[in-house]
C-alpha cells in the first residue's frame, strides 16, 4: 500500500521512505494517519515543505544504535527542511494544532523533527540538536 496525501507521496518525496540502502530494509514510510496530520500542517502553512527524513528501518544508520525504536522507526516522526528559527517556530505552532507533540530543531543542519508520541499525551517534548 502506498502512503500518500495531496501534497506528500514517495514519488515527489522519496525521503518519506527509509533510505538506508541495507539489503534487508523494508522501505518503511510514516503511518497514514501521521501523514494526514502532516498534510493538515502543509495546508495551514500554505507553502511547500521538503521532507528530509521519514520512516526508518532498524538498519538505518541513525537507528541502529538505539536500544528502543524512536519516532522515525515507529513511523511517527518526520524531518522537514527549514531555513531558520522563524520557519521552525511557525511549523511547530501549526504542528501542535494538528496533534504533533515532539519537536527537535537543528538550525545547523536546517531541519525540524516533528513527531507524535502517544505515551506523552497532551504534553510536549522539545529539544535542540
Amino acid at each position: 500500500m502506498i502512503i500518500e496525501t495531496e501534497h506528500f507521496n514517495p514519488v515527489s518525496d522519496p525521503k518519506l521512505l527509509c533510505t538506508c540502502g541495507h539489503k534487508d530494509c523494508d522501505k518503511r514510510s510514516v503511518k497514514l494517519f501521521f501523514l494526514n496530520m502532516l498534510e493538515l500542517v502543509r495546508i495551514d502553512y500554505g507553502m511547500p515543505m521538503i521532507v528530509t527524513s521519514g520512516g526508518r528501518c532498524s538498519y538505518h544508520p541513525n537507528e541502529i544504535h538505539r536500544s528502543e525504536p524512536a519516532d522515525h522507526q515507529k513511523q511517527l516522526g518526520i524531518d522537514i527542511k527549514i531555513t531558520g528559527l522563524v520557519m521552525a517556530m511557525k511549523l511547530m505552532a501549526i504542528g501542535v494544532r494538528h496533534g504533533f507533540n515532539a519537536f527537535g530543531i537543528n538550525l545547523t543542519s536546517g531541519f525540524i523533527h516533528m513527531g507524535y508520541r502517544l505515551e506523552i499525551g497532551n504534553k510536549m517534548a522539545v529539544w535542540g540538536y
Side-chain angles (χ1 to χ4, degrees):
M1 178 166 105
I2 295 178
I3 304 296
E4 63 182 311
T5 65
E6 180 182 349
H7 294 102
F8 301 102
N9 69 71
V11 174
S12 61
D13 304 290
K15 292 194 176 182
L16 274 174
L17 307 175
C18 185
T19 59
C20 76
H22 190 277
K23 66 178 180 65
D24 295 322
C25 177
D26 60 13
K27 291 291 194 186
R28 72 182 62 184
S29 181
V30 296
K31 294 179 185 273
L32 182 56
F33 86 86
F34 181 86
L35 194 60
N36 286 333
M37 289 168 52
L38 188 67
E39 178 68 19
L40 294 173
V41 172
R42 166 61 179 82
I43 291 166
D44 280 2
Y45 186 59
M47 296 187 305
M49 295 166 48
I50 299 170
V51 175
T52 61
S53 187
R56 295 178 187 160
C57 78
S58 61
Y59 301 105
H60 192 283
N62 292 22
E63 301 296 321
I64 202 157
H65 70 282
R66 299 183 188 278
S67 58
E68 296 288 324
D71 295 349
H72 288 275
Q73 196 174 343
K74 291 179 181 178
Q75 301 170 272
L76 298 173
I78 198 153
D79 296 342
I80 301 294
K81 182 177 179 169
I82 58 170
T83 56
L85 187 58
V86 171
M87 182 179 181
M89 299 309 282
K90 185 171 183 177
L91 288 173
M92 190 163 69
I94 296 169
V96 167
R97 286 200 306 260
H98 294 293
F100 290 89
N101 62 3
F103 301 92
I105 299 171
N106 188 323
L107 295 175
T108 304
S109 296
F111 72 87
I112 182 171
H113 171 86
M114 300 175 71
Y116 173 71
R117 297 179 180 176
L118 182 62
E119 67 274 13
I120 66 172
N122 62 359
K123 294 180 181 170
M124 200 163 68
V126 180
W127 65 92
Y129 296 94

